[in-house]
Amino acid sequence: MHERTPPGIAAFVLMIVLCATWGFQQVTIKIASAGISPVLQSGLRSAIAVLLLLVWARWRGIALTQADRSLRPGLLAGFLFGLEFVFIYLGLSYTTASRLIVVLYTAPCFTVLGLHYFVAGEQMQRRQLAGVLLAFMGIVFGFSGESGGPPGAWIGDLLGLLAAIGWAATTVLIRATRLATISASKVLFYQLAVSAALLLPLSPLIGEAGISQLSLPVVLALAYQGVIVAFASYLAWFWLLTRYLTTRLAVFSFLTPLFGVAFGVVMLHERLTPSFIVAVACVTSGIVLVNLPAPRQRAARVDG
């Protein structure tokens, strides 16, 4: 197990690329929803990615089934991961990509709260608490009235908030259990395999229409989610977590909602209003406060 170190320039550049990749995902979910039901779409995404991961692991000689006491937390992580994306995909049926991604990226705030109670050395400071409160103030202000969303958008916003809580719970579980000591590939395998096994049969059980049309945009959007996001970007993210200090990487996560809002406005022609812009600013500022490294303590002076 490698000791985590501060990230360098290459890691910073990779994080920016990952944030842009995740920001664009909400747009592709909207596009693919024109031909594939939300929960089925999420299950197919995980299934595509887990097949690619199995090929990758075999090629690299990475064992995914060895006994290492990670099965129970791994199954729970997979369940939480699947639940998170049920909320995301269903949420996008009610609200815009721009709105949902801003709500979703309150997750780092919930993560800080979870780490404070369950992971030694991750106790929350007053500055981080202020960031959590600021992010929630932005959500309340931005979404309390009409802010560019469709009728019933509050349902999608609520589902986005539940997805954020699920994402944070998954991160805390990975940091606080045996999962923190296993390979990034195996952590991702648990999440993809369990979520695919849950979501694919869940879709017909809840009465989804399934696949209604497979146009080129729908297929490309699903491929982006499965190949680029769920396989390549998540593998890169978990690899970064095994190599570098998490708090130094997490500060870049505030870029994702900015990318997401920009993509939603440019590609889906979603409308921005002043209150929504304030919400974006408050959530972004709150996440930055949460993730800023703690100030160094001043060295004690020694009288001569």
Side-chain angles (χ1 to χ4, degrees):
M1 181 178 176
H2 295 277
E3 181 180 355
R4 292 180 177 87
T5 60
I9 297 298
F12 288 159
V13 172
L14 179 56
M15 274 303 305
I16 293 173
V17 172
L18 291 179
C19 289
T21 300
W22 298 332
F24 188 61
Q25 178 182 219
Q26 318 308 317
V27 174
T28 64
I29 293 173
K30 278 285 193 182
I31 294 172
S33 293
I36 306 175
S37 300
V39 174
L40 178 60
Q41 189 182 158
S42 183
L44 290 172
R45 165 188 183 273
S46 290
I48 292 169
V50 78
L51 291 175
L52 292 173
L53 182 62
L54 289 171
V55 173
W56 162 268
R58 184 174 181 83
W59 176 53
R60 297 296 302 270
I62 301 172
L64 298 178
T65 58
Q66 77 275 29
D68 54 14
R69 294 180 295 150
S70 67
L71 180 60
R72 288 184 180 180
L75 292 176
L76 181 55
F79 174 78
L80 291 172
F81 181 82
L83 193 62
E84 171 197 342
F85 280 93
V86 167
F87 291 141
I88 291 174
Y89 280 71
L90 290 178
L92 283 169
S93 300
Y94 294 95
T95 190
T96 64
S98 300
R99 289 171 65 99
L100 187 131
I101 198 168
V102 173
V103 179
L104 179 62
Y105 272 81
T106 59
C109 301
F110 291 114
T111 300
V112 169
L113 290 172
L115 293 174
H116 176 80
Y117 289 107
F118 296 107
V119 179
E122 294 281 2
Q123 281 65 42
M124 186 169 56
Q125 302 172 355
R126 291 181 180 179
R127 169 180 46 78
Q128 293 171 316
L129 177 60
V132 173
L133 294 176
L134 181 60
F136 277 107
M137 286 173 58
I139 294 299
V140 171
F141 178 80
F143 299 142
S144 59
E146 202 287 318
S147 57
W154 67 270
I155 300 175
D157 300 337
L158 177 59
L159 289 169
L161 191 62
L162 292 174
I165 295 172
W167 178 12
T170 306
T171 303
V172 173
L173 179 69
I174 291 172
R175 290 286 305 278
T177 65
R178 183 73 176 175
L179 297 176
T181 66
I182 65 176
S183 70
S185 298
K186 188 165 184 178
V187 173
L188 182 57
F189 174 73
Y190 277 129
Q191 296 183 82
L192 294 174
V194 174
S195 61
L198 289 174
L199 299 179
L200 289 177
L202 178 62
S203 176
L205 287 176
I206 63 175
E208 282 195 337
I211 299 175
S212 57
Q213 67 174 33
L214 288 178
S215 63
L216 182 59
V218 169
V219 172
L220 290 178
L222 180 62
Y224 179 88
Q225 296 170 49
V227 178
I228 304 300
V229 178
F231 170 63
S233 78
Y234 288 169
L235 192 61
W237 167 242
F238 287 122
W239 178 81
L240 286 170
L241 289 181
T242 64
R243 298 280 175 168
Y244 302 107
L245 294 172
T246 303
T247 53
R248 303 290 182 88
L249 295 172
V251 71
F252 284 87
S253 64
F254 79 93
L255 291 173
T256 303
L258 299 184
F259 280 121
V261 169
F263 287 136
V265 171
V266 173
M267 301 193 66
L268 299 178
H269 308 293
E270 295 177 350
R271 184 165 59 92
L272 287 180
T273 63
S275 60
F276 184 74
I277 294 172
V278 171
V280 172
C282 288
V283 171
T284 300
S285 300
I287 294 172
V288 172
L289 281 175
V290 164
N291 288 293
L292 282 176
R296 294 181 179 179
Q297 295 181 346
R298 295 181 181 178
R301 295 183 179 178
V302 179
D303 293 333

